[in-house]
Amino acid sequence: MWFLIKGSFWFSLVLIALPLFSSESRDALEQAPPLEVGESMAAALEAFDDIRQICVRKPEVCETGGETFAALGIRAKEGARIAYEFLDSKFAGADDGLVTGSLPADGGQTATN
């Protein structure tokens, strides 16, 4: 769960920072409303604090949310299994005679002895 939240946060920061490296984007963003970083951070911290307190105010919300994330985790696991089986069926078996390693296929028993 925290991995998804942190990943979303960092991905959002990357999307916000990308226009800083493009002159076309900088010109287009001059027409955008100004971004007040201090006020935005204060609002985000207040919202985060409010979200943390929701389990105290309404425990059933956290219980339902936990059950929902558990169900989504099971579905994601099943989806990953299906994707793995699909990819395995597409790419496996193409080189059935493939022998890997540094020894010959006969196990290193050569006729030179």
Side-chain angles (χ1 to χ4, degrees):
M1 167 75 178
W2 280 111
F3 171 76
L4 293 175
I5 292 172
K6 286 194 274 186
S8 299
F9 172 77
W10 288 112
F11 184 66
S12 299
L13 285 181
V14 167
L15 291 179
I16 291 169
L18 280 177
L20 298 175
F21 301 107
S22 171
S23 60
E24 285 181 26
S25 296
R26 270 186 262 149
D27 295 339
L29 289 176
E30 287 180 2
Q31 307 301 324
L35 177 66
E36 296 295 330
V37 177
E39 291 176 13
S40 299
M41 287 299 293
L45 289 173
E46 190 173 327
F48 181 71
D49 190 44
D50 188 47
I51 290 170
R52 280 191 351 203
Q53 298 297 324
I54 198 167
C55 289
V56 173
R57 290 190 313 262
K58 295 187 176 193
E60 65 275 0
V61 171
C62 288
E63 184 179 328
T64 303
E67 291 171 357
T68 301
F69 281 113
L72 290 175
I74 292 169
R75 288 178 183 259
K77 182 179 176 182
E78 183 64 16
R81 185 190 63 78
I82 291 169
Y84 173 77
E85 287 178 355
F86 173 76
L87 292 173
D88 191 45
S89 70
K90 293 295 181 190
F91 297 113
D95 294 325
D96 289 334
L98 179 67
V99 177
T100 60
S102 59
L103 297 176
D106 63 358
Q109 305 295 327
T110 58
T112 58
N113 291 5

